Amino acid sequence: MTAHVLDAALHAARRARVLSALAPDGVMILPAAPELRVGRDLELRYQPDPDLYYLTGYTEPEAVAVLAPFRTDAPFTLFVRPRDPEREVWTGPRGGTDAALAVFGADEAYPIAELPERLPGIIAEAGTVYFRLGTGRDDVEALVRTSLIRAQRGRQREGRGPRTLVDPGAILDDMRIFKDAHEIELLREAARITMDAFREAAPRIRPGAGEWELEAALDAGFRRRGATGPAFPTIVAAGANATVLHYTDNAAPLEAGQLLLMDAGARYRMYCGDISRTFPISGAFAPAQRDVYDAVLAAHDAAIALVRPGNTVEQVHEAALRVALAALIELGVLRGTVDELLEKKEEYHPFLPHRTSHWLGLDVHDVGDYKTAGEPRRLEPGMVLTVEPGIYLPAAHEAVPTALRGTGIRIEDDVLVTPSGHEVLTAALPTAAADVEAMLRG
C-alpha cells in the first residue's frame, strides 16, 4: 500500500456524515481511480481518487467502496485487490480484505472479483444510486448501468429498486469544500514544503540554465521534504512560454532579459500546495517589466484583501480584474475606462484569460460550486482558495509594446478563509519585486 498516515477515526466520522446525508434507501458507490499506463505495460505512478480517499483513507488501485445506510449490519463495504505474493514482488505489498476490515474499518470486505456478483443485489435494494459517470473506471460504470437497468425493469413487480441516479458530489462537494483542522494542517505543510522548494530552486535561475533544471529542482525539493511529489505537472516557463497558461514542456533554455514564471505545488499526504512566482532571469526586472509586475502584485493584493466571510469569489476576481485593466489601459494595450472594459470581455480576454481563484484541497482545482442558486457563492470559514492574477502579453499581438511582447507574469498564493478574515498560507514566500530579486541571490 502507498505510505499514507491513516486516521481511521477521522475517515469513519466522515463516512458517518455521508451515511446520515444519504437518502434512507440510497447507496453511494465510489471506485478507485483507474491505473494509467503508457504503451503495453508501463504503469505510471498511481494517484488515488480524492473522494474515495476522503471517506476511507484507502490508496490502492482497483478498489470500490459502497456506502448503504439501509444495510444496517454492513453499511460500509470495501471491494479490494486480494493478496498476491507474485504480483507484490513487482508492485509492492497489498492489504487485501484483512486490511480492509482491520485497518480501514470496513464492515464487510470482498475481493474485487466478487463485485459483479454482489453489487447488483445491493443496487436492487436501493431507491437512489449515487455514482459518478465518466471516472475512467469503465468496468464499474458498465456494471452499475447494467444493474440499474435490470433493477428498474423489476421495480413494477417487486415494489423496490432504483429510480434515481445522483452524482456523489451532491453530498461530498459541500463536505470537502470546508476544510477541518486536520486538513488545514496538511495544507499548511504542503504550503511550507512548496515555499521551501521555491526558495531552494530560485538561485538556480540564470541565463543558460534549462527550464527542465528548475523543474527537477522543485520536484526534488518537494520529495526531499516529505511530499509524495508535485500536486500537478510543474510549470517552468521562460519568456513567451509564460503566455501559455499550462505550459509543461519545460524544454527551453533561459535567456538573459527574459522573465521566468514558475507555477508548482507539493502534494503532501494527498493535499496540494499551489504557488506561482515570476522571476527576472538576469537578476533584476527591466523598468517596463517591473511596471507590469507591480501591477500584477497590486491586483494580487487587492484580491486577497477581499477574502473574508460574506464576500464572494466573484468580488475577489473583480478586485484583481479592475487593477489589471487599469494597468493595461496605462500601457496603451486597451482603450476606454475600467468600467467600460468590464463589459467587454472579448477585448481583454487575450491578456487576462483566466479567473483569479480556484478552490484548493485534495485536488489542486478542488471540488465545490462557485455559484449556488445562480448566485456567486459567499466565502465561509474553512474554505481554501488560490489568488492568482496574471497579465499575459502575447508576442504576436500588435497592441503590446515591443519591449513587452511575449511577457507573462502571474503571482499566486494559497489563502484560508478565517472567521475574522483570511490567512495567506504561503505568505512567507516573498512577492515584492525587490524581494523576488533577492531570492535569486540565495
Side-chain angles (χ1 to χ4, degrees):
M1 287 180 290
T2 305
H4 284 280
V5 178
L6 180 71
D7 187 331
L10 178 69
H11 295 293
R14 291 172 180 168
R15 289 195 299 274
R17 288 178 60 194
V18 169
L19 288 165
S20 295
L22 285 169
D25 61 353
V27 57
M28 182 177 287
I29 303 164
L30 297 174
E35 294 180 275
L36 301 180
R37 291 180 170 83
V38 176
R40 294 184 178 182
D41 62 358
L42 177 61
E43 296 175 357
L44 299 181
R45 182 177 294 149
Y46 184 66
Q47 180 58 45
D49 175 77
D51 282 338
L52 178 68
Y53 178 82
Y54 184 77
L55 293 183
T56 68
Y58 205 78
T59 59
E60 291 189 38
E62 298 186 43
V64 175
V66 179
L67 298 177
F70 59 83
R71 302 184 75 225
T72 54
D73 292 334
F76 171 38
T77 304
L78 267 176
F79 294 86
V80 300
R81 301 185 304 183
R83 297 296 307 275
D84 184 337
E86 183 176 346
R87 288 305 304 160
E88 290 176 47
V89 169
W90 291 91
T91 59
R94 301 178 176 186
T97 54
D98 288 345
L101 294 166
V103 178
F104 294 93
D107 301 305
E108 292 181 348
Y110 302 100
I112 189 63
E114 295 186 22
L115 187 71
E117 171 190 344
R118 296 182 180 276
L119 186 61
I122 298 173
I123 289 176
E125 295 288 332
T128 303
V129 176
Y130 295 78
F131 179 78
R132 179 173 294 121
L133 302 175
T135 65
R137 284 294 300 275
D138 294 343
D139 56 334
V140 182
E141 183 168 322
L143 178 59
V144 170
R145 286 178 183 273
T146 301
S147 300
L148 279 168
I149 292 168
R150 184 181 299 125
Q152 287 170 341
R153 285 174 178 167
R155 183 181 177 89
Q156 184 177 14
R157 293 188 181 276
E158 299 293 331
R160 59 188 176 90
R163 287 188 182 275
T164 308
L165 180 67
V166 180
D167 191 300
I171 292 174
L172 291 177
D173 288 3
D174 272 359
M175 286 179 60
R176 286 178 51 192
I177 200 172
F178 296 102
K179 275 54 180 182
D180 59 32
H182 174 79
E183 293 178 288
I184 290 169
E185 287 310 305
L186 295 181
L187 285 165
R188 286 188 203 282
E189 187 63 10
R192 183 194 67 78
I193 291 170
T194 304
M195 290 187 291
D196 287 350
F198 264 77
R199 289 191 196 92
E200 184 178 62
R204 297 172 178 264
I205 297 171
R206 63 188 185 283
E211 293 172 338
W212 60 92
E213 294 179 51
L214 277 302
E215 176 187 16
L218 285 168
D219 292 358
F222 299 155
R223 296 294 296 271
R224 188 160 47 248
R225 292 170 173 84
T228 54
F232 54 93
T234 295
I235 296 169
V236 182
N241 292 337
T243 64
V244 179
L245 301 183
H246 286 175
Y247 171 83
T248 56
D249 286 351
N250 300 345
L254 278 55
E255 298 179 14
Q258 290 180 328
L259 300 182
L260 180 71
L261 192 160
M262 299 201 305
D263 186 341
R267 184 181 292 276
Y268 177 73
R269 290 173 57 182
M270 290 289 289
Y271 285 81
C272 303
D274 188 5
I275 291 176
S276 298
R277 293 292 186 269
T278 305
F279 299 89
I281 291 172
S282 296
F285 291 98
Q289 293 171 339
R290 174 69 180 264
D291 289 343
V292 181
Y293 183 92
D294 286 346
V296 175
L297 181 56
H300 164 276
D301 292 350
I304 288 178
L306 287 185
V307 177
R308 58 178 178 266
N311 283 350
T312 67
V313 177
E314 186 64 31
Q315 288 174 292
V316 172
H317 173 63
E318 185 173 329
L321 183 58
R322 283 183 170 276
V323 175
L325 287 173
L328 290 170
I329 293 168
E330 180 70 20
L331 280 172
V333 173
L334 294 175
R335 300 189 178 198
T337 68
V338 168
D339 286 333
E340 290 169 345
L341 288 168
L342 284 172
E343 305 301 321
K344 300 177 181 178
K345 183 176 181 179
E346 71 282 357
E347 292 190 19
Y348 68 73
H349 186 262
F351 316 105
L352 307 171
H354 62 78
R355 305 286 294 181
T356 302
S357 298
H358 58 76
W359 307 124
L360 186 67
L362 283 167
D363 288 306
V364 69
H365 288 182
D366 210 21
V367 296
D369 293 336
Y370 295 96
K371 287 189 174 183
T372 57
E375 295 296 325
R377 185 167 196 158
R378 298 202 174 274
L379 298 173
E380 298 180 56
M383 294 177 169
V384 179
L385 66 158
T386 65
V387 172
E388 52 175 312
I391 291 178
Y392 309 89
L393 302 170
H397 204 293
E398 60 184 16
V400 176
T402 302
L404 289 170
R405 290 183 181 178
T407 295
I409 297 172
R410 182 163 67 248
I411 304 170
E412 177 182 19
D413 280 301
D414 306 339
V415 187
L416 166 68
V417 184
T418 66
S420 60
H422 65 260
E423 176 189 348
V424 181
L425 301 178
T426 48
L429 190 68
T431 54
D435 293 332
V436 168
E437 292 169 345
M439 286 174 60
L440 297 170
R441 301 189 289 272

